[in-house]
Amino acid sequence: MNIEEARIIALSLPGVTEDMPFGDDNVVFRIEGKIFMCLMLTSVDAHFAIKLTPERNELLRAAYEHVTPAWHWNKKHWSDIYYEHFDERQIKEWIEESYALVVSKLPKALREKYRLS
């Protein structure tokens, strides 16, 4: 798994946009303006931050040494994923999980528009 593959997975989801609101060293992926993933571009250790439920974050951190509390994000809700240590299937699952969580918090009309099959 590499940086471009992670980016392609995020952009393949319905309605996703990307921008760089925090500078040139990371890319933020959003659905309806809400961030679900931040891909670090200049970090020594390749990783991205994703939003998950607090319970899910705890489970993943306990199970995998390459899933840690997100450095510059709310550590209860965000984890850093060092994606080079995982296969594409696993990374895709986690990115989709983050996307689905953020979609679930959107108003009902928008949730229906972005529901994953």
Side-chain angles (χ1 to χ4, degrees):
M1 175 51 71
N2 66 44
I3 193 169
E4 188 58 28
E5 290 168 326
R7 180 177 174 267
I8 288 168
I9 290 169
L11 289 173
S12 73
L13 299 169
V16 170
T17 60
E18 67 179 334
D19 62 282
M20 301 174 92
F22 309 122
D24 293 339
D25 57 345
N26 54 59
V27 177
V28 168
F29 298 87
R30 302 174 190 256
I31 180 67
E32 292 294 326
K34 306 291 184 189
I35 299 171
F36 70 93
M37 180 174 144
C38 181
L39 182 59
M40 311 324 176
L41 301 177
T42 59
S43 177
V44 173
D45 297 316
H47 68 284
F48 57 77
I50 56 172
K51 185 173 189 176
L52 300 170
T53 65
E55 300 79 19
R56 184 69 166 141
N57 281 321
E58 288 179 22
L59 287 171
L60 292 179
R61 292 171 194 165
Y64 303 101
E65 69 177 295
H66 299 292
V67 178
T68 62
W71 181 252
H72 289 293
W73 299 84
N74 181 320
K75 289 162 183 32
K76 182 177 179 182
H77 297 280
W78 290 82
S79 284
D80 281 337
I81 308 289
Y82 293 83
Y83 54 83
E84 291 180 333
H85 299 277
F86 299 99
D87 64 32
E88 182 177 349
R89 180 197 56 77
Q90 185 65 71
I91 295 300
K92 185 174 192 280
E93 179 182 309
W94 289 335
I95 292 172
E96 288 177 352
E97 184 177 350
S98 179
Y99 173 89
L101 174 65
V102 173
V103 166
S104 76
K105 305 296 182 188
L106 295 173
K108 186 176 181 180
L110 291 175
R111 284 195 308 262
E112 294 301 318
K113 181 177 172 182
Y114 297 114
R115 187 173 307 266
L116 291 177
S117 53

